[in-house]
Amino acid sequence: MLKQVTKKAAGINSRVCAVLGGQWGDEGKGKLADVLAKNYDIVARFNGGNNAGHTVVVNDKKYAFHLLPCGLIYPHTTNILGNGTVIHVPSLFEELEPLTADGLEWEGRLLLSDRAHLLFDMHQAVDGHQEEGRGSKNIGTTKKGIGPAYATKANRNGIRVGMLKHFDVFETQLRELLDYQHHLYGVDVDIEGEVDKYKKYAEILSPWIVDGVHFINQAYDDGKSIIAEGANAVMLDLDYGTYPFVTSSTTSVGGMSTGLGLSPNKIETAVGVIKAYTTRVGWGPFPTELTDDTCGGMVPRDAPGTDIGRHLQTVGAEIGVTTGRKRRCGWLDVPVIQYGHMINSYGSINLTKLDVMDDLDEVKLGVAYKINGQRLLPGQMPSTLEDLYAVEVEYETMPGWKTDISKCRTFEELPSEAQHYVNRIEELVGCPVSFIGVGAGREDMAVAQFV
Ligand code: GDP
Ligand code: IMO
Ligand code: MG
């Protein structure tokens, strides 16, 4: 039996619900945000930028969101990019184009926090330049300029969206910033071209800009319900992730509060989105990765070194929607989920892509880490690469279900072996599973019996 889970804990009808990635990204946050958005007034992004890639499939139509909240698909929602995000305006317009072509009416429903930082082409150039400079130690960033944009924010010479309403000062700040970065990194920037572009953007964007912090709190006070759609994931969090192989924002629950200006008291539930196995795109430690023994855990990211790794990659279509890179694949890493649950305190888990494991004869769960023969406690996660690369994983093996589960709509309809797999995860993590993904479509969910 699934542990008891309420609709609130599942995020179906809570006031404020955070949808958070519980691994290394691409768990299916976009799909859940879309499924839940049906009952919500506001969908807000609080961190990251267009490094995210959130895919939503509705009636076989695929939508790819990067910077925009997935809530836009539902016409009743208002969507906002919160102060914790970094916004590359040309990409914003590019992302809106296909939505416009599909007849999706977004005008008036997309707001930008005046405190969000602008991410310029220059930040992207610096990202590429820094990655090149790292040589074989490159992070494998999305090259969308995320790290450099948060760096200028922390360095206090970043430029916020609200400055577009004061274009004269904006222009001076932009010239100074581009000149500064040019001297620091030697990247070439067409300063005049940028100033001209932003003059036009400022006119178009002016009506979209709001005091985001006041907006979200006023909405809360007015009884509106809010989804905070997380980007990236806990193991990519700047503080909690596998540093330095991380992104540059706070991807976990605290980021929701600082990235929107919403008090932690107002967060009613956080749903942890967890893929039934593990993937990672980009470099860095991955203890349960399915690799060739000969490759010492560092196989190229586009070539999982075992048949099972390849199987998960192929059946799961594990190719990044932002960069087109193949994702590295491995068994579910329970210590990662326990660690994420400790930090984020999930009300429930959305276990996604269970259907991808349908054909496996047996399935494994990485249940504990050992370093030098010493078993770590649940919630303990090594902070150094040296320890993370030294981790030995203890596995539990279970029979596979060898059944097509794509038509299952309740937990009870799943084959007993699949139920056992889900139950064991709940037990080890200490958190109930509310939704189980059995396909990419909006309706492809097996749901728990809610109490
Ligand atoms: P996100 O970044 O967390 O939103 O996840 P992505 O959209 O990058 O990656 C998840 C991929 O898996 C997308 O292509 C989804 O359409 C797909 N997907 C989501 N849930 C399921 C599921 O339960 N089963 C299958 N087969 N695909 C899923
Ligand atoms: P969603 O929201 C998967 C990874 C990159 C790289 C590292 C740093 O779709 O789950 P960055 O460009 O942010 O500086 O890259 O983080 N990364 C993601 N991986 N899904 C994401 O977002 C990611 N966002 C960043 O691949 O390893
Ligand atoms: Mg993604």
Side-chain angles (χ1 to χ4, degrees), residues 26 52-54 321 327:
D26 304 325
H54 297 179
V321 65
R327 298 174 185 144

Side-chain angles (χ1 to χ4, degrees), residues 6 19 229:
T6 62
V19 172
E229 179 182 337

Side-chain angles (χ1 to χ4, degrees), residues 55-71:
T55 310
V56 177
V57 182
V58 183
N59 300 327
D60 293 329
K61 173 150 185 61
K62 216 182 231 190
Y63 296 88
F65 291 95
H66 297 284
L67 181 57
L68 301 175
C70 294

Side-chain angles (χ1 to χ4, degrees), residues 25 58 69 96 123 136-137 177 203 213 244 255 260 286 295 312 430 449:
V58 183
L96 283 167
H123 289 117
S136 63
K137 291 185 177 153
L177 175 64
E203 270 174 44
V213 178
L260 292 175
F286 182 171
C295 294
L312 295 172
Q449 290 269 359

